[in-house]
Amino acid sequence: MGQNIIISKQFKSELATAISECENDKTFVLVDETTREKCWELIKDEFCLKQAQVISIGTTDGNKTLDTLAYVWQALQQGGATRHSLLINLGGGMVTDLGGFAASTFKRGINFINIPTTLLAMVDASVGGKTGINFSGLKNEIGVFSDAGFVLLNTEWLRTLDAENIRSGYAEMLKHGLIADEEMWAELVGFNLAQPDLQQLAAMLGKSVRVKERIVEEDPHEKGLRKALNLGHTFGHAFESWSMKRNPVLHGYAVAFGLIAELYLSVVKTGFPIERMRQTVGFIREYYGSLRITCNDYPDLIDFMHHDKKNRGDEINVTLLGAVGDVRIDQSVSEEEVKEALDFMREG
């Protein structure tokens, strides 16, 4: 069916339309503990949701597991879901990733709608058809490409977020600016993230989603161009996996630190302008602080990078930039270069 991405102006009527356009003999809504309280309460009395059955799971990425997935399948089964039922995923990236995967595999696939409630999910997880769970300590190790029937982006949800979660989502927007063009990048590094203007942020969000949408349309299954979206992610996913066993960091923070390392490699390997790197790294250090890693953590981080899905054989594969908007995919880096980039990241 393909994805209908709606940047919502009249959320309630758009939701009713989306539900009516998806097959739905029964409607289920997947929430986590946070979105049940902060978001479901605001929409549960809508007529189009009157008969909906709620499935509630634990919050945080630590619940993006096979056990939680089995729990959702079981809840659908016990609730009498058929191949003609509909699952609405109301939550952040963990809910849209896991819910999308549950819907795509239950009865070989039922319709689902994503209603992302965090900035991160709006600009990243809920758009582009990637679904999945973490497995065996690795991020997004099991999953499928599967499009939601509709993605409803309602920026009013941003009012429910704390500063950390705004910043987490903003890191993906910064990445989109770096791979798009100078104008978008300049607006992003010039934004006051300490006191974000939500109206301005909503306008910037629209541009950011369009960057991702354009790339995903050209390369839905990540054969080439879509790898542009991996900027900051080879290092970022390693930081995230490493932090899971210690003091978990939010996805966007891990990506922001990954951008520092990969922009350093871009300067060294592909001639990215040093001034642009300094401005971007300065912005990240100001708003995201630093990641407490030491040289002793390097072997673990390198091991995580070797497990990255983008690799071929034993090479560590990264996406780099020749300039803002000049993306260089499939760049292999040596373990020595990885260590240099980690050294640079720790200097801040």
Side-chain angles (χ1 to χ4, degrees):
M1 177 155 127
Q3 270 189 327
N4 271 305
I5 298 169
I6 297 168
I7 296 176
S8 186
K9 298 280 186 286
Q10 294 171 317
F11 175 72
K12 289 173 178 176
S13 63
E14 284 151 353
L15 174 62
T17 303
I19 290 174
S20 70
E21 289 191 20
C22 290
E23 213 175 8
N24 60 358
D25 62 353
K26 286 192 173 176
T27 299
F28 296 80
V29 180
L30 181 66
V31 291
D32 65 17
E33 287 149 5
T34 305
T35 54
R36 180 170 200 148
E37 182 194 326
K38 290 188 171 178
C39 306
W40 174 242
E41 286 302 310
L42 301 176
I43 61 170
K44 67 175 187 185
D45 294 326
E46 290 304 304
F47 182 75
C48 59
L49 296 170
K50 273 278 186 259
Q51 306 298 320
Q53 298 181 48
V54 177
I55 304 170
S56 189
I57 58 177
T59 190
T60 78
D61 210 61
N63 287 288
K64 199 166 138 184
T65 62
L66 202 49
D67 286 346
T68 310
L69 180 67
Y71 171 79
V72 174
W73 282 331
Q74 206 162 20
L76 289 168
Q77 195 176 55
Q78 287 169 351
T82 72
R83 290 180 74 176
H84 310 287
S85 298
L86 170 69
L87 180 63
I88 298 172
N89 300 313
L90 177 68
M94 187 273 284
V95 170
T96 61
D97 275 5
L98 186 140
F101 189 36
S104 307
T105 45
F106 184 78
K107 306 263 188 204
R108 296 202 181 95
I110 62 173
N111 276 330
F112 66 101
I113 290 172
N114 284 338
I115 306 177
T117 57
T118 65
L119 183 58
L120 180 64
M122 289 179 198
V123 295
D124 186 43
S126 69
V127 176
K130 282 186 177 179
T131 71
I133 57 166
N134 304 333
F135 185 71
S136 232
L138 296 172
K139 283 279 300 173
N140 302 325
E141 183 79 343
I142 311 288
V144 294
F145 286 101
S146 181
D147 281 337
F150 287 85
V151 181
L152 291 176
L153 303 176
N154 178 20
T155 53
E156 284 302 304
W157 299 125
L158 298 180
R159 299 184 192 285
T160 69
L161 296 181
D162 59 18
E164 258 202 322
N165 275 289
I166 293 271
R167 289 177 191 199
S168 181
Y170 197 84
E172 290 285 356
M173 292 173 65
L174 189 57
K175 175 199 77 178
H176 288 155
L178 283 162
I179 64 180
D181 55 56
E182 286 269 345
E183 189 186 342
M184 190 171 166
W185 168 83
E187 184 179 25
L188 286 155
V189 292
F191 187 67
N192 180 1
L193 204 45
Q195 293 170 307
D197 173 335
L198 288 187
Q199 239 178 329
Q200 192 187 344
L201 189 60
M204 289 159 72
L205 169 73
K207 292 179 202 169
S208 197
V209 169
R210 281 189 287 278
V211 170
K212 179 160 187 181
E213 219 182 333
R214 195 175 65 240
I215 290 172
V216 169
E217 269 171 21
E218 283 188 50
D219 180 19
H221 296 138
E222 206 162 20
K223 298 284 186 265
L225 176 68
R226 185 167 178 164
K227 292 177 186 172
L229 296 170
N230 291 324
L231 181 70
H233 280 62
T234 300
F235 279 79
H237 278 154
F239 296 149
E240 209 171 350
S241 296
W242 171 86
S243 79
M244 274 182 190
K245 293 187 171 65
R246 295 162 177 85
N247 187 14
V249 295
L250 292 172
H251 174 75
Y253 278 69
V255 168
F257 301 135
L259 287 172
I260 293 178
E262 292 179 27
L263 286 175
Y264 168 82
L265 289 172
S266 295
V267 169
V268 173
K269 290 175 72 73
T270 47
F272 187 79
I274 202 155
E275 193 43 47
R276 292 286 177 265
M277 187 225 8
R278 281 205 188 109
Q279 287 166 279
T280 313
V281 168
F283 180 89
I284 292 168
R285 287 186 169 147
E286 180 181 351
Y287 291 115
Y288 296 83
S290 57
L291 189 64
R292 307 228 169 277
I293 56 170
T294 70
C295 299
N296 297 336
D297 297 309
Y298 288 10
D300 281 350
L301 290 166
I302 287 168
D303 192 46
F304 282 125
M305 287 183 211
H306 276 300
H307 279 100
D308 195 278
K309 294 182 290 299
K310 298 174 287 299
N311 292 340
R312 287 183 184 173
D314 288 335
E315 290 183 338
I316 292 174
N317 210 313
V318 294
T319 293
L320 300 177
L321 295 173
V324 173
D326 174 13
V327 180
R328 311 286 178 90
I329 62 170
D330 291 332
Q331 303 290 309
S332 63
V333 291
S334 68
E335 291 190 5
E336 221 32 65
E337 288 168 325
V338 168
K339 288 174 188 170
E340 259 182 58
L342 291 169
D343 286 344
F344 175 78
M345 196 197 85
R346 284 171 54 218
E347 279 166 18

